[in-house]
Amino acid sequence: MATVPGIDVSYWNAGIDWPKVRATGQRFVFVKATEGETYTDPTFADNWSGAKSAGLLRGAYCFFHPKLDPKKQATRFINAVKAVNDNGELPSVLDLEADDGQPKNKIIAAAKVWLDAVEKAFGRKPIIYSGFYFLQDHFSEAGGGPPAWARDYALWMPQYPTQFSPGMNPSLPRGWFKWTFWQYTDKGAVNGVNANVDLNLFSGTLEELYKFAGAQPPNQKPKTHTVAAGDTFESIANQYGVTVRELVSANHQLLKAGDKLTVPVAVAIPQEGGDSSGSAGGGSTSTGKTYTVKPGDMLSVIAVKFGTTVSAIASLNTITNINNISVGQVLKIP
């Protein structure tokens, strides 16, 4: 099962170094734009432009309050996105997780008003972000399933397994048959973000992600970098927003000052999972490989050695600080 990694951010992740984020293998981001009728995230514009400059696919989201006027919430969101003169590549997102003490029929009706208004403004159906129990308890009709129209919308689910393993899937509530994005932890560690960050997966290949976004992969020529004293593959990768694996694959040489390196066009490295029948509460955690950390090792070098990513190793080993590994530490390799 192919998946593509990404993150979602808000005010709590201010000051992001986006090229470093891109260099970890992340390929998309959802950015908080608004909440309710009156709040616009003060970091939205900076996160929106920063993610674009690093080449990430972007979608904006609104934290929705069913007790408030859905038309006013939609207008707030639409105006915030239009104010940055860039609608992004991914569809907009309705963040549906607060019931505000409202009955389910009102929640469903209010959500549809927002969805219709945003679709009319941007010309494509938004994504619904919501969890298993919210959809089951607050977004279902007689018989236990969602309203029939809801199945026309892509689903982004938050569901956090005790220990995530590649190849797992979130459990779907009754009446939902497919997930498009999965937020599998809210305690991720990603280089370039100075706080815990939500980690997500897109269900499909990179090509399918670009198709879903209605975007074309970047069409750029490789760059050339002249190696300076103190340069490492990791520092150069962070500078240009490519992964260490991409950089090393394009330059089979040791680094010497004055050498010229080819910096490849940034492309995603889909994560290949195993059994696609797992659920968030189950699935095998065995990877079949382990590696014992040696003096001088960094996660980026280990990731290149085994053809994986830093974020994948960190997730599998519950590493919160990717710059802090110990000699003798035994790592599971995805």
Side-chain angles (χ1 to χ4, degrees):
M1 175 184 173
T3 56
V4 182
I7 62 174
D8 62 272
V9 299
S10 67
Y11 170 81
W12 302 107
N13 311 109
I16 297 172
D17 187 329
W18 286 103
K20 287 185 178 180
V21 171
R22 170 60 183 76
T24 67
Q26 311 306 316
R27 296 301 178 264
F28 65 88
V29 60
F30 289 109
V31 183
K32 184 174 183 178
T34 63
E35 180 173 341
E37 300 174 356
T38 60
Y39 178 80
T40 298
D41 191 305
T43 64
F44 173 57
D46 285 344
N47 283 333
W48 199 244
S49 61
K52 180 179 182 179
S53 66
L56 277 76
L57 298 174
R58 302 154 303 146
Y61 74 88
C62 164
F63 190 101
F64 188 73
H65 286 280
K67 68 179 179 181
L68 302 178
D69 187 328
K71 290 184 179 179
K72 290 182 179 179
Q73 294 187 76
T75 298
R76 182 78 181 188
F77 175 80
I78 293 164
N79 289 341
V81 174
K82 288 186 174 181
V84 294
N85 299 313
D86 176 5
N87 297 345
E89 299 77 32
L90 294 166
S92 303
V93 180
L94 176 67
D95 182 345
L96 198 57
E97 55 184 290
D99 66 88
D100 293 342
Q102 303 300 303
K104 64 173 66 176
N105 64 318
K106 183 174 181 181
I107 294 173
I108 291 171
K112 190 64 164 68
V113 170
W114 189 97
L115 291 165
D116 287 346
V118 172
E119 180 178 357
K120 182 178 179 181
F122 298 122
R124 52 182 172 173
K125 287 188 178 299
I127 297 167
I128 294 176
Y129 169 97
S130 195
F132 183 98
Y133 291 107
F134 190 96
L135 293 172
Q136 177 178 275
D137 298 339
H138 303 290
F139 206 76
S140 60
E141 295 184 328
W149 55 259
R151 299 188 184 99
D152 294 333
Y153 294 83
L155 178 62
W156 173 20
M157 286 196 69
Q159 197 171 107
Y160 309 150
T162 302
Q163 184 171 358
F164 172 78
S165 295
M168 296 173 68
N169 279 285
S171 300
L172 294 170
R174 186 174 182 179
W176 297 85
F177 305 105
K178 179 183 178 182
W179 62 273
T180 303
F181 293 94
W182 175 20
Q183 182 187 89
Y184 63 90
T185 182
D186 60 352
K187 295 180 173 60
V190 172
N191 195 24
V193 183
N194 296 317
N196 285 342
V197 65
D198 300 335
L199 300 181
N200 300 271
L201 295 173
F202 168 76
S203 179
T205 64
L206 176 64
E207 181 181 4
E208 290 169 332
L209 174 61
Y210 270 94
K211 183 177 180 180
F212 176 79
Q216 293 294 323
N219 184 18
Q220 302 169 351
K221 293 182 179 180
K223 300 179 178 69
T224 299
H225 175 84
T226 301
V227 178
D231 273 351
T232 65
F233 277 116
E234 185 173 28
S235 68
I236 298 168
N238 286 338
Q239 179 180 341
Y240 290 95
V242 297
T243 64
V244 173
R245 179 181 176 184
E246 290 166 339
L247 188 61
V248 171
S249 295
N251 300 273
H252 299 285
Q253 62 202 73
L254 297 175
L255 294 184
K256 293 189 301 180
D259 281 355
K260 294 189 181 297
L261 295 186
T262 298
V263 181
V265 177
V267 295
I269 304 173
Q271 294 182 356
E272 297 294 335
D275 180 7
S276 62
S277 64
S279 67
S284 173
T285 60
S286 174
T287 66
K289 291 181 184 177
T290 60
Y291 177 78
T292 303
V293 177
K294 298 178 175 57
D297 272 346
M298 298 184 293
L299 279 187
S300 57
V301 176
I302 298 170
V304 171
K305 178 180 178 69
F306 288 98
T308 183
T309 65
V310 171
S311 58
I313 297 176
S315 296
L316 185 58
N317 293 277
T318 319
I319 296 173
T320 57
N321 182 351
I322 62 174
N323 296 312
N324 185 19
I325 56 175
S326 305
V327 174
Q329 182 177 354
V330 178
L331 300 177
K332 299 174 184 177
I333 304 299

